Every structure is written in C-alpha cells, then in structure tokens.
Amino acid sequence: MEQQVIELPGSDGIQPVVVPELAEGATIQARFEAFHRHNPWVLQQLEALAAHVLDQGSRRIGISMLFELLRYRYGVATHGGEFRRLNNDFRSRYARLICERHPEWRSRFELRALRSE
C-alpha cells in the first residue's frame, strides 16, 4: 500500500529563532513581546497551520497541536535546529494573539485564564 504524504503549509517562511536578551526577572508577557518582535514569522506560521487545520474540517483547534506541528517543521527546515527555542511559556499568548487577529476563529480555540502576566 502506498503512503500518502500530506504537505503542510508554511515551511517557506521558517527562519532561525532569534532569542532576545532580556533583563533578569522579566515577566512572561515581556519575554513573549520581545520574542514576538524578533520572530514575527512564528505567528505567521501558526496562523497558516491553523487555517489549514480548520480548512480540513476541524471544529476545534489547540495551540499545543499547532506548536508541535511548527516544532516539527522548524526541525525539518533547519535540519535539526534547536526546536526547544519555541518556548511553551508563549503558547497561551500566541493563542490569544491569533484569536485577536482572527475573531472568526475564537470559538475554535479554548482559552483559559492566564496564571501570570
């Protein structure tokens, strides 16, 4: 039986992660804002993946799934690059940013209260 390869969108825009230098004790929000400023392609990739998953008929979508897909694509695009540079602490911030930019997707994401600012 022949296996079908499913091509995911967005690998063209993957770039090496830039890790910004921050003051010791910076909040998660401050760290996220600095990371996002230096790596706008991450949001673009997450949006492309979300659109693809939703176009395939998914009713709900999780930022964790999108992040793991992006980690996989990052590893492939950078030939085994440091995928841990995509910090899990930022997932909830990206989910909120995606819903802010795409209000039509808001009902598709489950957003929980932030535990820290």
Side-chain angles (χ1 to χ4, degrees):
M1 176 178 0
E2 187 176 321
Q3 288 190 340
Q4 180 182 4
V5 175
I6 298 173
E7 193 62 34
L8 293 173
S11 63
D12 293 345
I14 290 179
Q15 303 168 24
V17 168
V18 175
V19 179
E21 291 191 32
L22 295 165
E24 188 175 328
T27 65
I28 292 174
Q29 186 63 33
R31 290 176 19 231
F32 168 73
E33 289 170 5
F35 181 86
H36 178 57
R37 246 187 338 273
H38 286 85
N39 300 282
W41 65 269
V42 172
L43 176 62
Q44 295 163 358
Q45 293 289 311
L46 291 171
E47 287 174 327
L49 288 168
H52 178 75
V53 169
L54 293 171
D55 287 347
Q56 298 303 308
S58 291
R59 296 167 60 112
R60 301 285 292 172
I61 193 166
I63 194 67
S64 295
M65 176 189 65
L66 297 178
F67 235 66
E68 294 309 321
L69 285 170
L70 182 54
R71 278 192 173 121
Y72 168 76
R73 296 189 66 72
Y74 183 76
V76 170
T78 60
H79 305 285
E82 190 61 45
F83 63 86
R84 289 182 298 273
R85 290 182 176 221
L86 297 172
N87 191 328
N88 282 342
D89 290 349
F90 302 154
R91 291 184 306 176
S92 63
R93 269 63 178 183
Y94 275 115
R96 283 166 175 72
L97 188 54
I98 289 169
C99 289
E100 182 181 305
R101 290 170 48 100
H102 300 275
E104 70 278 14
W105 294 349
R106 173 60 189 93
S107 63
R108 306 291 187 94
F109 280 88
E110 179 181 342
L111 299 180
R112 299 179 183 149
L114 294 175
R115 292 184 277 187
S116 63
E117 294 299 316

